Structure formats: structure tokens, C-alpha cells
Amino acid sequence: MARSLLSLALALPAVRAMNNGLARTPQMGWNTWNHFGCGINEDTILSAAQAVVSNNLTALGYEYILVDDCWQADARDASTGAPVADPSKFPNGIKDLADKVHDMGLKFGIYSSAGTSTCGGRFGSLGFEEIDAQTYASWGVDYLKYDNCYNEGRAGTPLISYERYNNMSRALNATGRPILYSMCNWGEDGPWNFAVDIANSWRISGDIYDNYDRYDSRCPCTDMLDCKLSGFHCAMTRIIDFAAPLLQKAGPGKWNDLDMLEIGNGGMTFDEYVTHFSMWALAKSPLILGNDVTSMDTDTLSIITNDAIIAVNQDPNGSPASQMWIHAVDGGGQLELWSGSLVNNQFVWAVMNTSPSNQTVNVSLLDIFTDQGAAFGSGTFTMYDLWQKDADGAWGAKVADVSGSMSVDVVTHGVRVFKAVPVSSSRRAAGEL
């Protein structure tokens, strides 16, 4: 019965958030939560916005400055019920803050929860969707991250979650202002099945934890397709595992969100952060920085500014990569092959090594191009290493023309990412044909 009701709900005339013209490629920006938590104020946001501009991150696509939880006052406006900002943290109000962010050429986002309270204990938006959406629009908000805490038990089936989150979707679209809608219900009730018509992105798992692969009982699920308690403290590679079977659900205007990036927060090694950034890009997850962008070392900057990897994420084809095989490694861990298509008959593929030792693997082109067929995979391809710079200092150095198979070395907890172009196409682009 519930399935029939959900099908009916999805068939009803409704504003389809995926068609609101936003997030045609995965959204990019910066969010306060991972590094600052509730310790935010107006200066925190403005300093970060200025750092995004001064580090030229805007040229790479980082455009949203997102204020997460704890911006709210102790209570709503007593007479109107409208949301109010904490006057000690934001003495000039949210509209003034949004205006200043806009003046820097950036877009501004805010946070609430589809519950009576936010996860940080501030007032939520459940039952206040219309006035909150109208207020956000009047403030100049361009983006809403919408959480799942204190939801009064209004979850447990896709239909119940759909209706609760669709209330805000309708309210946002009714404002007439384009507001990117980022659902954050931790994968509860399978949002990849019901959110595609009402949101621009949806979280697929519990909250990320700045760690490569540590098991944590607070992130108890091993399979997000059969997960009733998604939790938090989810290590980075756990989220990749959760994402693998879901990626075909995404596309332009509608993305699986693997959560915010931890690069620069100190919990992983350089190679682990390279894996983090690469796999989020291949999965077509939003790329939302979660570090202190006002104080970044050269390693952090080198990762988040790799324009060849960002181009994979922002490719207009909008096709996430797929996990093609998994090979167990002696001593623990595994090697994983991922492959996906890009525009202009180009492709991206990666080998990820979760084992505790360096590995060498021979990768068959027939495995890389399984979806394109044996005839295509039997061809010759020019390979570009997207984490190697060419003679001009640009990411994406040419490696070789390859047919049959290619030997790949991958350091422990590292990844190798390649762009593959059929030789005839690469030579034509170079003017050799």
C-alpha cells in the first residue's frame, strides 16, 4: 500500500527541483561545519569568502559559501514566527551577510532541519516551511542544506520522508528565487529513489569522519541499500562503499551527496586526501570544502585546485563512474577499478588501493570499457595521468598510447586516475589527422 501511495505522490503535478535550472553539474563551495561546528560568526563567514576569492578558487567553480547549523537565535520572532539570526554572532543580520558575500561574486547558503530542532539544538523548520523559505528568499539565500534531526518520527518509509522533504521543496520553489535544495537525511529511506524530483542533491550516508577507513559503531551500516541506522563518524572509504551501488541514480540537477570534504583538516595523509578528492569527483558528488580556507598548506591547495580532477566532476555529461571490479589483496584491503564516460568520447578511470601496502596491477582495457563493448575496448587509447603535471605545469600529463592492458602502480591508500581518449580522437585534436 505504501509503495502505491508513493507512486501516486510522485505522479502528482509538483515542482520538480531537479528542473529548477540549478546544479546542472555538482555544486561546489565551502561549508562551516566540518572545521568550525557551532563556533561561527559573521567574521568566520566573511573571512572564508574572502579566502575563496583570494586563492582564486572561484575560477575553479567553488561558488557557494554555506553557513551550517547554529546561526539561529534562541527563538523565532514571537509575532511572526519568522526565523531570526543569533544577534551576537550576526549583529548585522543574515541579509547583510548575504549581500556582502554576493558583492564578492559568490553565492550564499544557509542551513535548517526538517524537524522541530536542528542537530545543534536550534529551531528547525518542520511546520514552518513556507515562512522560512520566504524569509530565506528575502535574505538573498541561494542554497539550503536541509537536515533530518528531531523529525518527530516522520520517517521510516519513503513516502513519509518524501512528503516531509517535499514540503520544503514546494516552499522554496514558491518563492520564485532560485535556491539550490540540498537534502541531508543521511540516506534514510533511500532518498536516491524518492528525492530525484524534489531536490538537487541528497546525502547517501551518515556524516563523514576525517579518517580513511576506521570502523566506528556510530556508523554501523555496511550496506546503505539495507540501512536503518546510518549514524555518523563514517570513515571516507566507508562512504565510497555506500555510494558504489547508487551512482546510476544521479545526473544533471540531481546528485548523490557523499558529504563535505575533509581535505586539510588533518585526519588523513596526503595520499588519502588525494583519494578522497578523486573519488568524490568520479562519483559526481558535490565538492564542498570543509576546512579552514583562510589557512591552507601547499598540499591542501594542490589537491583542491587540481583542475583536471575538478573537470571530471564538472563534466557536462553528468555520468558518475562505476565500480567495475574489486580484487582482494593479501594482507587485507583491496584494489578497485572505477570507470566512467565524459563528453566528446573521452573517459575517466581509476584504480584505488585500500590495502596497507603498495600494489601493482595489470588493468585490461576490456574491463575499463565494459559498458562500451569488446570492440571498443579492443582499440588504442591515449592515457593522461590526472595527478601528474605535464611540461607546462598543467595537471594531466600524457602517459602513453595503450592497447590491450596497462600496468598501474598504486601506493598504499592511494589512487591513480587517468583520462582515456581513443587514439584517433586524440590525434585529430592534436592536428595529426
Side-chain angles (χ1 to χ4, degrees), residues 81-98:
V84 178
D86 185 328
S88 63
K89 293 181 176 182
F90 302 97
N92 297 303
I94 298 298
K95 185 180 187 309
D96 180 80
L97 178 61

Side-chain angles (χ1 to χ4, degrees), residues 67-139:
V67 180
D68 210 284
D69 205 352
C70 303
W71 61 267
Q72 302 91 336
D74 292 336
R76 292 174 172 275
D77 184 281
S79 59
T80 66
V84 178
D86 185 328
S88 63
K89 293 181 176 182
F90 302 97
N92 297 303
I94 298 298
K95 185 180 187 309
D96 180 80
L97 178 61
D99 288 345
K100 289 174 180 174
V101 170
H102 290 152
D103 287 344
M104 296 184 200
L106 297 163
K107 296 179 181 178
F108 180 81
I110 208 163
Y111 164 99
S112 190
S113 180
T116 54
S117 298
T118 69
C119 299
R122 275 59 176 182
F123 53 80
S125 291
L126 187 65
F128 292 87
E129 293 86 357
E130 289 80 8
I131 193 166
D132 284 7
Q134 290 291 340
T135 303
Y136 299 155
S138 72
W139 287 345

Side-chain angles (χ1 to χ4, degrees), residues 140-208:
V141 167
D142 306 297
Y143 187 120
L144 174 66
K145 175 184 172 184
Y146 203 45
D147 220 330
N148 195 31
C149 286
Y150 300 99
N151 59 34
E152 293 193 331
R154 291 170 59 177
T157 72
L159 177 60
I160 294 173
S161 287
Y162 167 84
E163 290 176 336
R164 179 162 51 94
Y165 278 92
N166 191 35
N167 287 340
M168 181 56 83
S169 178
R170 291 178 182 275
L172 291 173
N173 282 280
T175 68
R177 180 177 179 82
I179 300 176
L180 192 152
Y181 185 32
S182 174
M183 278 179 46
C184 180
N185 80 326
W186 326 316
E188 188 173 47
D189 295 330
W192 46 85
N193 288 322
F194 72 80
V196 295
D197 288 334
I198 63 172
N200 297 112
S201 64
W202 50 86
R203 277 275 301 283
I204 63 156
S205 73
D207 292 350
I208 193 171

Side-chain angles (χ1 to χ4, degrees), residues 34 45 76 90 117 141 147 161 209 227 301 334 341 359 408:
N34 283 5
I45 284 77
R76 292 174 172 275
F90 302 97
S117 298
V141 167
D147 220 330
S161 287
Y209 174 53
C227 181
L301 272 170
Q334 59 197 27
S341 62
Q359 299 292 325
V408 179

